[in-house]
């Protein structure tokens, strides 16, 4: 397509995209889609989208190829109806997604449209191993994204910061399983263990627990690095001496609070360079969590009720 006049109105941009892309869909030899669910009872593939490009891909080209993980197979259409409701409500809060398409083979003689050939490629990529191990629960994931949307870490740093295809809590469990723990070792540690992801997951996947299992493995295989192991040992020694722990954290947080100055943020911190190289680090407010909790609790208890 030659150079066209620059358009800025949303409707014009959409029309231009439609004009350019539609021709590509019509001329394509093959369209490749994923599949949200595969239904064993009928041999169908369910594709759920809110935009409709998926339907252009599976209807217009001569060949439709579906690639989907083996965990996407559900037994019956009744099972599908339950999962479709869960998916839409957990993902975007809709009662149903805008487009839900079931493809069951190539175009029949009296069909008006559809591909001449239809292929489904089932992907294992390690999934059958998880079936028999402690990460089995992860195979229930329907990729609704609720855990991402409610994760405070994901909300602060965004999806691209994770560096892999699947971001957020579910990605931090899945990615190390797919690419190996050594390569994905930072992901299970990018979590505060607040448990919000598990409480919103429609499939009741124990995400914090699975992340913890990755951490155990990391530590067991000594993949967490010398510095981290030393820090953990130090923390372990302090954690069993609560007085020391409180005293040191009080000093540390006060000091960092003062060093953070009026801005309340660090542009550079020697021990946190991985963070401060590309963003500011918020300084503590000058009080440890335990001290703040104690202060708040003391306020709530009337002086006459306080222990001596
Ligand atoms: S882990 Fe749960 S909440 Fe997260 S995408 Fe999967 S099903 Fe949705």
């Amino acid at each position: 397509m030659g150079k066209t006049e620059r358009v800025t109105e949303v409707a014009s941009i959409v029309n231009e995209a439609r004009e350019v892309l539609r021709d590509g869909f019509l001329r394509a030899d093959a369209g490749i889609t994923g599949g949200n669910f595969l239904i064993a009872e009928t041999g169908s593939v369910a594709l759920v989208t809110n935009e409709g490009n998926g339907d252009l891909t599976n209807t217009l080209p001569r060949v439709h190829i579906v690639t989907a993980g083996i965990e996407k197979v559900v037994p019956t259409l009744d099972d599908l109806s339950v999962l479709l409701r869960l998916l839409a409500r957990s993902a975007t809060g809709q009662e149903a997604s805008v487009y839900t398409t079931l493809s069951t083979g190539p175009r029949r003689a009296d069909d008006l449209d559809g591909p001449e050939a239809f292929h489904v490629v089932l992907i294992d990529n390690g999934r059958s191993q998880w079936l028999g191990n402690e990460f089995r629960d992860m195979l229930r994931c329907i990729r609704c994204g609720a855990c991402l949307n409610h994760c405070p870490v994901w909300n602060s740093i965004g999806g691209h910061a994770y560096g892999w295809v699947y971001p957020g809590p579910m990605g931090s469990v899945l990615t190390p399983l797919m690419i190996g723990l050594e390569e994905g070792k930072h992901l299970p540690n990018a979590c505060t263990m607040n448990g919000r992801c598990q409480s919103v997951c429609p499939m009741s996947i124990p995400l914090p627990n699975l992340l913890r299992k990755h951490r155990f493995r990391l530590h067991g295989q000594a993949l967490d690095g010398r510095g981290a192991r030393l820090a953990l040992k130090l923390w372990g020694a302090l954690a069993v001496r609560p007085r020391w722990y409180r005293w040191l954290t009080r000093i540390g947080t006060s000091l960092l609070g003062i060093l953070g100055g009026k801005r309340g943020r660090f542009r550079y911190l020697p021990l946190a360079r991985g963070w401060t190289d590309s963003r500011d680090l918020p300084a503590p407010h000058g009080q440890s969590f335990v001290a703040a909790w104690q202060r708040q609790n003391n306020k709530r208890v009337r002086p006459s009720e306080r222990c001596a």
Side-chain angles (χ1 to χ4, degrees):
M1 188 174 171
K3 199 172 173 189
T4 54
E5 201 184 323
R6 180 180 158 80
V7 290
T8 50
E9 292 293 311
V10 173
S12 313
I13 297 170
V14 172
N15 278 337
E16 186 173 317
R18 180 173 291 152
E19 206 176 302
V20 174
L21 293 174
R22 190 62 54 94
D23 190 47
F25 282 114
L26 285 166
R27 283 190 294 113
D29 287 326
I32 303 176
T33 67
N36 292 81
F37 302 100
L38 311 178
I39 302 99
E41 181 183 51
T42 57
S44 312
V45 174
L47 190 64
V48 182
T49 67
N50 274 320
E51 298 83 18
N53 283 348
D55 287 334
L56 292 177
T57 310
N58 64 23
T59 313
L60 298 182
R62 215 168 41 77
V63 180
H64 177 201
I65 301 167
V66 181
T67 62
I70 52 172
E71 82 280 23
K72 299 289 175 79
V73 180
V74 299
T76 64
L77 287 171
D78 282 346
D79 297 310
L80 175 72
S81 72
V82 174
L83 291 168
L84 285 177
R85 283 203 296 272
L86 275 183
L87 179 63
R89 285 161 205 209
S90 307
T92 50
Q94 293 162 283
E95 295 238 339
S97 298
V98 178
Y99 299 98
T100 300
T101 305
L102 271 73
S103 306
T104 316
R107 177 203 307 198
R108 290 162 300 190
D110 51 351
D111 284 342
L112 291 178
D113 50 27
E116 292 164 25
F118 174 76
H119 304 282
V120 179
V121 181
L122 286 171
I123 297 172
D124 187 304
N125 196 18
R127 288 164 173 85
S128 45
Q129 285 170 31
W130 316 340
L131 249 185
N133 73 17
E134 53 193 347
F135 293 98
R136 179 191 179 105
D137 289 328
M138 203 55 216
L139 291 167
R140 290 203 302 272
C141 176
I142 56 172
R143 312 287 194 271
C144 68
C147 56
L148 277 63
N149 293 336
H150 290 82
C151 170
V153 177
W154 193 85
N155 273 292
S156 302
I157 65 174
H160 292 295
Y162 287 81
W164 302 98
V165 175
Y166 294 119
M170 55 76 77
S172 296
V173 176
L174 263 186
T175 310
L177 291 173
M178 288 176 167
I179 63 169
L181 197 49
E182 183 155 16
E183 186 136 23
K185 65 182 174 190
H186 296 302
L187 296 171
N189 292 311
C191 171
T192 60
M193 293 284 161
N194 58 78
R196 218 152 133 193
C197 49
Q198 180 173 343
S199 64
V200 297
C201 175
M203 304 306 289
S204 301
I205 299 174
L207 292 157
N209 205 22
L210 297 180
L211 288 167
R212 207 173 284 117
K213 283 178 178 161
H214 271 320
R215 290 186 186 181
F216 279 141
R217 285 187 169 195
L218 262 176
H219 195 71
Q221 294 169 27
L223 292 173
D224 43 359
R226 257 202 227 156
R229 294 174 81 78
L230 195 68
L232 264 183
K233 262 196 186 154
L234 196 67
W235 181 84
L238 276 177
V240 293
R241 294 172 179 82
R243 275 188 186 202
W244 276 86
Y245 189 91
R246 280 200 290 271
W247 185 70
L248 280 173
T249 46
R250 195 171 296 162
I251 292 180
T253 43
S254 307
L255 200 65
L256 286 172
I258 293 167
L259 290 175
K262 276 192 190 157
R263 279 186 82 229
R265 311 183 79 77
F266 295 103
R267 286 209 174 120
Y268 175 74
L269 248 195
L271 288 174
R273 278 190 52 201
W275 182 279
T276 53
D277 276 353
S278 51
R279 53 180 88 78
D280 287 1
L281 182 75
H285 289 185
Q287 224 181 17
S288 70
F289 173 77
V290 174
W293 183 80
Q294 274 177 341
R295 177 174 289 195
Q296 196 175 333
N297 229 23
N298 280 344
K299 267 192 210 157
R300 276 203 213 117
V301 181
R302 274 178 282 162
S304 57
E305 292 170 350
R306 274 183 208 154
C307 301

